Amino acid sequence: MTTAVDTKKLTMVQAVTDGMRVMMKEHENVIVLGEDVGQNGGVFRATDGLVSEFGEKRVIDTPLAESGIIGTSIGLAMNGFKPIAEMQFLGFIYPAFNQIMTHASRIRARTLGHFTVPMVIRAPFGAGVRAPEIHSDSVEALFTGMPGMKVVVPSNPYDAKGMLISAIEDPDPVLFLEPMRCYRSTKMDVPEGKYNVPLGKAARLQEGSDVSVFAYGAMIDVVTKAAKSAEEKGIKCDVIDLRTLYPLDKDMIAESVQKTGRAVIVHEAPGTGGLGETIMSLINDTSFLYMKAPVERVTGFDTPVPMFALEDHYLPSADRVVQAIEKVTQF
């Protein structure tokens, strides 16, 4: 007999807030710091209400200094705290890259395991919300080749809360990327209280036997629509939400492509140097002899995210994904 779990309808940003609240109630060493995270509740209101509930000693407004935010968080994490550091946008993280690359990701190895850095870096990212330059960057690939740093991207409210709780509990640093297009695009039933969604595990959203479609974040909605259109043409897609970008769920990727023999990879980051290249290498290493067609990628262009008039053209669309699906099935 299963026990009913109380749920409530939440958007993704509300689920993120709830995840932090649950962990701050459970652990006094969980703290939040970042620009405007206190009284203002963050630029997207992800920390709304936390300062009134937990006080200014645990929800800390910082100067506009990303390197300082991350450097301070590293020191706190090495000394018994579990900091959640907010970057207002992923495109603002560049001044902190040195701290992340040379310290956060390496402390465990540098100290032979004597110290770890249990911290979470939250960062909204992605285009499609008509934000100014720098605010819409998808540069997750800068971090997916950084041993010691996990990189995760939820695509829905349920995963957002459960993965954030898992990230806070993780003994090593986690970059928690939040697709801005998903913040308030939908609501779903999210369990109250604590639950975990494991890091490093992808999710199969739709079972199919003709072509594997891999995506994450805001692109999940795009590929779901594309898969529905493809099914109307008799093509059954195996739709995989990667969820964790580093380390990838290599077993599910290999299992899927060995079943279908075809693969389409979708991400809004530029194609060159993007995660799609890593997934193609993985498919080559594990499943080359199973493939019936070359792998196709549908990505953003090798340019900065353009201004508003061209933003929709820049982003992968369901039509572009359907074209790629048809191309691999007709090869």
Side-chain angles (χ1 to χ4, degrees), residues 186-297:
T186 187
K187 284 188 173 185
M188 67 186 304
D189 288 325
V190 176
E192 295 184 2
K194 182 180 178 181
Y195 67 93
N196 293 84
V197 174
L199 308 185
K201 296 294 183 182
R204 176 173 279 111
L205 304 184
Q206 177 178 312
E207 187 83 36
S209 56
D210 295 322
V211 56
S212 301
V213 182
F214 301 102
Y216 54 91
M219 291 297 101
I220 291 300
D221 182 60
V222 173
V223 301
T224 300
K225 292 176 180 176
K228 184 177 180 181
S229 296
E231 189 168 8
E232 293 172 355
K233 301 178 181 183
I235 304 170
K236 296 181 179 179
C237 296
D238 206 42
V239 179
I240 307 296
D241 182 352
L242 295 171
R243 300 199 298 191
T244 298
L245 309 188
Y246 189 83
L248 285 164
D249 189 344
K250 298 179 181 180
D251 291 340
M252 180 171 281
I253 293 171
E255 181 268 326
S256 179
V257 296
Q258 288 173 18
K259 175 178 66 173
T260 66
R262 306 177 182 90
V264 174
I265 304 163
V266 184
H267 58 71
E268 67 178 80
T272 300
L275 191 70
E277 294 182 351
T278 301
I279 298 171
M280 289 176 71
S281 297
L282 174 61
I283 292 170
N284 183 71
D285 291 345
T286 63
S287 312
F288 179 76
L289 295 179
Y290 292 84
M291 300 306 291
K292 302 172 184 177
V295 177
E296 280 292 311
R297 288 179 297 153

Side-chain angles (χ1 to χ4, degrees), residues 11-13 154-157 179-186 217-219:
T11 62
M12 178 181 283
V13 72
S155 65
N156 60 72
M180 291 186 286
R181 287 171 69 185
C182 300
Y183 263 159
R184 295 178 173 86
S185 62
T186 187
M219 291 297 101

Side-chain angles (χ1 to χ4, degrees), residues 41 137 143 231:
D137 290 3
F143 302 93
E231 189 168 8

Side-chain angles (χ1 to χ4, degrees), residues 15-307:
V16 167
T17 309
D18 201 37
M20 287 188 283
R21 179 178 290 110
V22 165
M23 294 305 288
M24 292 181 80
K25 285 182 177 179
E26 183 172 305
H27 300 285
E28 291 187 357
N29 62 342
V30 176
I31 62 175
V32 173
L33 64 162
E35 299 160 6
D36 296 325
V37 299
Q39 294 299 330
N40 285 344
V43 66
F44 291 101
R45 302 300 180 262
T47 56
D48 191 32
L50 296 183
V51 70
S52 60
E53 188 169 354
F54 300 103
E56 294 182 352
K57 290 186 176 181
R58 295 185 63 196
V59 183
I60 305 164
D61 278 322
T62 68
L64 304 182
E66 287 77 13
S67 181
I69 295 168
I70 298 303
T72 300
S73 297
I74 293 168
L76 288 165
M78 291 176 65
N79 287 277
F81 290 90
K82 285 183 171 287
I84 306 169
E86 178 181 298
M87 300 285 101
Q88 284 194 335
F89 297 88
L90 181 60
F92 293 179
I93 205 170
Y94 308 129
F97 189 84
N98 178 55
Q99 293 280 9
I100 297 169
M101 170 61 98
T102 62
H103 298 302
S105 66
R106 295 171 182 258
I107 292 295
R108 175 185 286 276
R110 182 179 296 153
T111 66
L112 302 181
H114 290 288
F115 288 94
T116 59
V117 185
M119 63 181 285
V120 176
I121 305 171
R122 293 183 40 253
F125 85 114
V129 297
R130 303 300 188 262
E133 184 187 9
I134 308 296
H135 296 64
S136 301
D137 290 3
S138 291
V139 291
E140 56 272 21
L142 291 177
F143 302 93
T144 54
M146 189 182 291
M149 170 73 64
K150 296 181 178 69
V151 182
V152 303
V153 184
S155 65
N156 60 72
Y158 179 89
D159 283 353
K161 179 179 175 180
M163 291 173 71
L164 181 56
I165 290 171
S166 295
I168 295 168
E169 292 185 327
D170 198 276
D172 294 300
V174 179
L175 178 60
F176 192 87
L177 300 178
E178 301 165 7
M180 291 186 286
R181 287 171 69 185
C182 300
Y183 263 159
R184 295 178 173 86
S185 62
T186 187
K187 284 188 173 185
M188 67 186 304
D189 288 325
V190 176
E192 295 184 2
K194 182 180 178 181
Y195 67 93
N196 293 84
V197 174
L199 308 185
K201 296 294 183 182
R204 176 173 279 111
L205 304 184
Q206 177 178 312
E207 187 83 36
S209 56
D210 295 322
V211 56
S212 301
V213 182
F214 301 102
Y216 54 91
M219 291 297 101
I220 291 300
D221 182 60
V222 173
V223 301
T224 300
K225 292 176 180 176
K228 184 177 180 181
S229 296
E231 189 168 8
E232 293 172 355
K233 301 178 181 183
I235 304 170
K236 296 181 179 179
C237 296
D238 206 42
V239 179
I240 307 296
D241 182 352
L242 295 171
R243 300 199 298 191
T244 298
L245 309 188
Y246 189 83
L248 285 164
D249 189 344
K250 298 179 181 180
D251 291 340
M252 180 171 281
I253 293 171
E255 181 268 326
S256 179
V257 296
Q258 288 173 18
K259 175 178 66 173
T260 66
R262 306 177 182 90
V264 174
I265 304 163
V266 184
H267 58 71
E268 67 178 80
T272 300
L275 191 70
E277 294 182 351
T278 301
I279 298 171
M280 289 176 71
S281 297
L282 174 61
I283 292 170
N284 183 71
D285 291 345
T286 63
S287 312
F288 179 76
L289 295 179
Y290 292 84
M291 300 306 291
K292 302 172 184 177
V295 177
E296 280 292 311
R297 288 179 297 153
V298 183
T299 71
F301 299 103
D302 289 348
T303 67
V305 177
M307 292 301 172

